[in-house]
Amino acid sequence: METRPRIPVLHLITRLDRGGSAENTLITAIGLDKRRYQVTLAAGASRESKMTPGEEARLAARLAEVRAAGVELVTIPSLVRRISPIQDLLAFVALVRLIRRIKPAVVHTHTSKAGAIGRPAARLCRVPVVVHTPHGHLFYGYYGPAMTTVIVLLERWLGRLTDGLIALTSTGKMEYLERRIVPQERLHAIHSGVDLPLVDQAATSMEEARRACGLPLKGPLIGLVGRLVTIKGHRDLIEAFPAILRTFPEAQLLFVGEGEERGRLAAQAKSLGVADHLHMVGAQPELWKYLAACDLCVQPSLNEGMGRTVIEAMAMGRPVVASQVGGLPELINSGKTGLLVPPMSPPALAEAICALLRDPEELRRMGRAAQQSVDHRFSARAMVEAIDLLYRRLLQEKRGGAAGQ
C-alpha cells in the first residue's frame, strides 16, 4: 500500500520559556498527527525571562516529549526578543537557510518577533502557506500612541504576507479586524489549548493544599498566577489589598510567578503595610496545588490575549475576578463564573473580591459553575484539531489557486 508523503511544517517561536505562548507552541508541535505532518520546531536560544532551575527542568522534560514525538528541534541563537539589527539580520539569514533545507509547505510563526522575521523569510523562500499566532498583541497597555501607531502599521504590512492569522479569542479576532491588520477571511479564532487533567486534582482539600504549599491555614487566600511584569496588573491588586484587609483582616495574597517586577512589588507591599500578608512563591511546576489552596483567583491584567491560567483556575473550581480586557470576557461570565471589573481600578478589584468573600455559598456556587464551563473548547486536542483543519484548508486553497492559473 502506497503511503502519502508527510507535509513538512515549520514552527518558529522567539523563545521557549515558561509562558503560555511557548506551551501553546509545544502542545501544537507534539499534537499534530505525525502520519500527516513532518514537524520542525525552531526557537531562539535566549532565556531573557530567567527561568528557575525547576522551570528549566520542566522545559527540558517538555523538549524530551517533543523529540519523542518525532519533532526536529532547531536552535537559532541570533533570534532574540529585543530589537537588535545585527542579531535580527543574522536570524533572518539563518531562517532562510533552514527553510531552504527543510522546504516546508507551512511556516507557522508564534509571538511578535518570530512573526516579524519569519513571515518575510517564508515569503522570500516562496513557502505556500504562512500562518501566524501572535499570542496577544501590543495594541494597548504597552506603549504610547506614537509607538502603537508604528506597531499597527508594521502589523498591517506583515499581514499582507500572512495566509492565516490566529487570534486566541473572538475578542482578539475583532481587535485585529478593527485595526485592519488582515481581511476577515484570513482571521481565525482558535482557543489556546490547555491540558485539563487539573480537574482530577480538585478533590484535594484546601487545607491539604495549603499545608503542602507551606501557606497559612487561616484566612481567605486570594491567588494571582502570572509573570511578575507590569502588564499583569499585580500592582493594582496590592494597592487594593489594604481595603480588603479592613473587611477581612486575616486575608492572604498569593503570587505564583517570577519576573522583573518582584522587587518593586515587594517594596510596594511594604510601603502599604501588607507585606506580611503577601506570599510570592515564584513559578511552580505543580500549579494545581496552589490553585487548590486558594479561595478565589484574580487576573487584573491591563491586556490579555486569552488567559490560560484563568482557565486552569476555573478547571480547579475557583471563580476568577478579572479585568474586562482582551479575551478575558470570553472566558468569564460575570456574575456566574466570576466577576469582571474595569482595568487599572484597585477600588473595583477590592469591591469585587470582598463581595465574593462575604458570601461563601455564592463563592462555592460560582466555583462549581466555573468548573463546569471549562469544557472541550479549551482542551489541547481541540486546539490541535482546529489548527490541523486550518492547515489543510489553506493548503487546499493554494493548490486550487495554482491549478486554476
Side-chain angles (χ1 to χ4, degrees):
M1 182 177 175
E2 184 179 352
T3 59
R4 298 178 65 179
R6 293 188 295 167
I7 300 167
V9 175
L10 171 63
H11 285 273
L12 177 71
I13 186 168
T14 310
R15 54 181 182 167
L16 289 170
D17 57 7
R18 60 177 175 270
S21 56
E23 185 65 16
N24 173 295
T25 305
L26 291 168
I27 288 173
T28 306
I30 293 169
L32 285 170
D33 188 348
K34 301 310 180 295
R35 293 168 298 183
R36 177 177 292 131
Y37 297 104
Q38 181 179 337
V39 181
T40 301
L41 172 58
S46 174
R47 296 289 185 267
E48 293 163 280
S49 55
K50 293 185 179 180
M51 290 187 286
T52 65
E55 290 169 326
E56 291 279 7
R58 183 183 179 189
L59 175 59
R62 290 295 271 162
L63 293 180
E65 289 181 55
V66 171
R67 293 187 185 94
V71 177
E72 179 187 4
L73 283 170
V74 177
T75 299
I76 302 177
S78 51
L79 181 56
V80 294
R81 187 183 185 194
R82 66 187 185 278
I83 296 175
S84 173
I86 294 176
Q87 293 290 87
D88 294 347
L89 178 60
L90 291 172
F92 182 84
V93 171
L95 185 56
V96 167
R97 288 174 177 166
L98 175 62
I99 291 172
R100 287 175 174 167
R101 175 173 70 83
I102 66 175
K103 297 179 173 59
V106 178
V107 167
H108 187 161
T109 60
H110 302 259
T111 66
S112 299
K113 187 64 171 293
I117 292 176
R119 286 180 279 178
R123 282 298 176 226
L124 178 67
C125 297
R126 300 181 182 276
V127 174
V129 170
V130 179
V131 176
H132 178 58
T133 304
H135 299 279
H137 58 65
L138 304 175
F139 300 151
Y140 53 79
Y142 287 90
Y143 303 108
M147 187 61 182
T148 299
T149 299
V150 171
I151 289 170
V152 169
L153 292 174
L154 176 61
E155 286 295 336
R156 285 178 186 169
W157 177 74
L158 290 168
R160 297 172 64 183
L161 312 179
T162 310
D163 298 296
L165 191 148
I166 298 175
L168 303 183
T169 63
S170 297
T171 303
K173 179 179 174 181
M174 289 304 301
E175 289 175 331
Y176 275 88
L177 190 60
E178 288 168 359
R179 290 163 178 83
R180 306 191 307 279
I181 305 302
V182 295
Q184 185 167 355
E185 61 270 19
R186 285 193 243 154
L187 266 172
H188 311 273
I190 300 177
H191 291 303
S192 186
V194 177
D195 290 320
L196 295 177
L198 289 169
V199 178
D200 298 335
Q201 310 291 355
T204 301
S205 74
M206 189 178 294
E207 182 176 340
E208 289 173 329
R210 291 191 186 187
R211 288 187 189 279
C213 298
L215 295 167
L217 301 181
K218 286 187 176 182
L221 183 63
I222 300 157
L224 197 172
V225 180
R227 292 174 296 122
L228 304 182
V229 293
T230 303
I231 202 71
K232 294 296 183 182
H234 294 80
R235 296 182 190 179
D236 291 330
L237 183 53
I238 292 176
E239 189 174 335
F241 208 63
I244 296 170
L245 287 176
R246 284 195 288 273
T247 305
F248 298 95
E250 292 186 310
Q252 306 289 322
L253 194 55
L254 171 68
F255 287 174
V256 184
E258 198 55 81
E260 62 264 24
E261 281 278 290
R262 187 183 184 106
R264 284 185 284 271
L265 294 172
Q268 181 190 12
K270 184 176 180 180
S271 69
L272 292 175
V274 301
D276 291 342
H277 296 260
L278 175 60
H279 309 271
M280 290 194 285
V281 297
Q284 296 294 330
E286 292 186 300
L287 178 59
W288 67 268
K289 289 182 181 178
Y290 292 85
L291 293 173
C294 295
D295 291 87
L296 60 90
C297 292
V298 184
Q299 193 72 54
S301 302
L302 285 63
N303 185 347
E304 192 71 55
M306 187 184 81
R308 293 172 63 89
T309 59
V310 169
I311 295 173
E312 291 170 332
M314 294 169 71
M316 288 296 294
R318 300 301 182 261
V320 179
V321 176
S323 301
Q324 196 162 359
V325 298
L328 294 175
E330 195 166 321
L331 306 181
I332 298 167
N333 187 342
S334 193
K336 294 187 176 180
T337 61
L339 295 173
L340 293 170
V341 299
M344 297 183 289
S345 178
L349 267 181
E351 182 179 347
I353 291 167
C354 288
L356 288 179
L357 294 179
R358 286 191 195 100
D359 191 343
E361 182 52 41
E362 178 70 357
L363 186 71
R364 286 190 289 270
R365 185 198 64 75
M366 275 196 187
R368 290 192 296 268
Q371 191 174 69
Q372 291 166 4
S373 74
V374 178
D375 56 22
H376 68 279
R377 292 176 300 154
F378 303 111
S379 71
R381 176 179 290 185
M383 178 189 73
V384 173
E385 287 176 352
I387 290 173
D388 169 39
L389 188 62
L390 177 62
Y391 289 173
R392 285 191 279 168
R393 183 167 71 77
L394 292 175
L395 286 167
Q396 185 61 41
E397 288 175 0
K398 290 286 180 165
R399 290 173 187 139
Q405 290 176 357

